[in-house]
Amino acid sequence: MRVDFTKMHGLGNDFVVLDARAKDLPQIDGSIARALADRRTGIGCDQLILLQPSSAADFRMRIFNQDGSEVEACGNASRAVALLHGAPADVETAGGTIRIEPAAGGASVDMGEPRFEWDAIPLAYGMDTAAMPVGWDGLDHPGAVNVGNPHVVFFVEDCGAVALDVLGPEIENDPLFPERVNVNVATIENRGHIRLRVWERGAGLTQACGTGACATAVHAMRRGLVEREVTVTLPGGDLTIAWAEDNRIRMTGPATEAYRGSFEWDDFA
Ligand SMILES: N[C@H](CCC[C@H](N)C(=O)O)C(=O)O
C-alpha cells in the first residue's frame, strides 16, 4: 500500500506528516514511527505527526518522537499543521485541545495553560518547581513546567557552552522524571529576549523546540526575569512567546512545507 506524506519543519525541527482525516491508514504505532523517523533507513524526522478525525475538536494530532514514544504536545508541529490545514482550527492532542491559526509565513498557536504542580510535570516526589533543589554537573536549581509535555529549564551564563549532548540524556532519563523530560538550557539576553537550546525527550538535540520555548519563557516570566512577551532564539531561528492575562500561552513563528512524497507501507511495517 502506498502512503502519501508531507515533509515539514518549524525552524528546522522536522516532521513527517501523515493525514488520515479523510482516508484510512494502517495502524500507526511506536515501531512504525521509529522506522519512518530513522534518518539512515527511513524518511527521517524528529517527530512523526498523524492527523486523524476527532469527535472532540476539528481534528486530532498524534505525535511520535524519533524513538517511537507517543507524546502529548509538539509546538513546532502545531504550526506546521496550521500551514497544512490552511485555516484556524481546534486540534485535539493528548496534552489538551490547542487552537492553531495560520499567519503570514507560519502560524500562531494557543498552547493552553501551563502547569507547575510537581505531580503535573510530573516529578517523582514533591518540591518547589520554580527553584528545584537539584543539579547535574554544574546545571542546577532548574524550574519545571508542563505545557502539555514535561520540561525542565536551566538558566545559564551561555547556553552555547553547555555540553547538552552529554547532560541532556542524563537528565532526560533521571528517575526524578517518571515520564522522562525535555531539557532546556537558556540564557536571558534581556527582558525581551532569551536564547535557548533543547535536548528533546525521545529525539535528542533539535534545531528548535516549540514547547521548550513556551516552557522556558513561562518559567522566566514566573521568575520575573522577562516581560510577558518575549523573543526566544533557538538554533533554527526565533519564536515569539506570550503568556497572556488569561493564563494561556501563545506561540507565533514560521512553518515550512519542504516536499510531498509517498512510501510503500510494507517497507516499514
Ligand atoms: N520531544 C517532545 C515532543 C516534541 C516537542 C518539540 N518538537 C516541539 O516543537 O514542541 C516530548 O517528548 O515531549
Side-chain angles (χ1 to χ4, degrees), residues 6-262:
T6 306
K7 188 75 186 313
M8 307 192 80
H9 72 85
L11 299 178
N13 176 208
D14 64 348
F15 315 106
V16 168
V17 182
L18 304 181
D19 192 345
R21 293 177 293 178
K23 62 182 179 306
D24 287 338
L25 285 180
Q27 179 70 25
I28 301 267
D29 59 17
S31 64
I32 186 80
R34 200 168 30 253
L36 288 169
D38 191 323
R39 296 190 190 280
R40 294 156 305 171
T41 55
I43 300 169
C45 58
D46 295 323
Q47 279 87 24
L48 176 70
I49 303 299
L50 174 62
L51 306 182
Q52 294 180 312
S54 165
S55 56
D58 294 315
F59 57 88
R60 179 184 181 199
M61 173 171 80
R62 295 175 66 189
I63 302 143
F64 296 84
N65 280 317
Q66 204 173 64
D67 71 354
S69 55
E70 183 168 4
V71 291
E72 314 90 336
C74 183
N76 288 321
S78 303
R79 299 195 318 279
V81 166
L83 182 74
L84 190 66
H85 183 62
D90 292 323
V91 182
E92 176 192 355
T93 71
T97 296
I98 60 172
R99 175 80 178 166
I100 62 172
E101 312 246 349
S108 188
V109 182
D110 173 342
M111 296 290 290
E113 302 185 15
R115 300 285 308 279
F116 301 113
E117 310 82 30
W118 68 271
D119 51 353
I121 302 303
L123 303 180
Y125 43 85
M127 65 177 73
D128 176 6
T129 59
M132 299 159 66
V134 295
W136 291 265
D137 300 328
L139 288 180
D140 52 27
H141 296 108
V145 188
N146 186 295
V147 290
N149 58 351
H151 288 265
V152 66
V153 180
F154 298 88
F155 292 135
V156 296
E157 194 63 34
D158 175 8
C159 61
V162 175
L164 196 50
D165 55 334
V166 174
L167 286 170
E170 183 183 335
I171 299 167
E172 172 193 358
N173 295 289
D174 191 287
L176 176 60
F177 306 104
E179 293 178 13
R180 298 188 290 161
V181 75
N182 296 285
V183 184
N184 300 267
V185 292
T187 298
I188 308 283
E189 295 295 337
N190 58 55
R191 291 190 59 80
H193 185 208
I194 300 172
R195 261 185 323 121
L196 174 62
R197 292 174 62 224
V198 187
W199 173 273
E200 286 200 29
R201 176 180 62 171
L205 286 173
T206 60
Q207 283 295 299
C209 180
T211 51
C214 292
T216 298
V218 163
H219 177 51
M221 294 165 186
R222 190 181 182 209
R223 294 267 307 272
L225 300 175
V226 298
E227 302 303 328
R228 297 279 293 217
E229 178 166 330
V230 290
T231 297
V232 179
T233 297
L234 296 122
D238 291 355
L239 292 174
T240 300
I241 310 296
W243 185 15
E245 291 313 312
D246 62 3
N247 195 35
R248 301 181 74 84
I249 305 166
R250 284 175 179 78
M251 169 191 60
T252 304
T256 306
E257 177 177 322
Y259 64 88
R260 296 191 178 203
S262 66

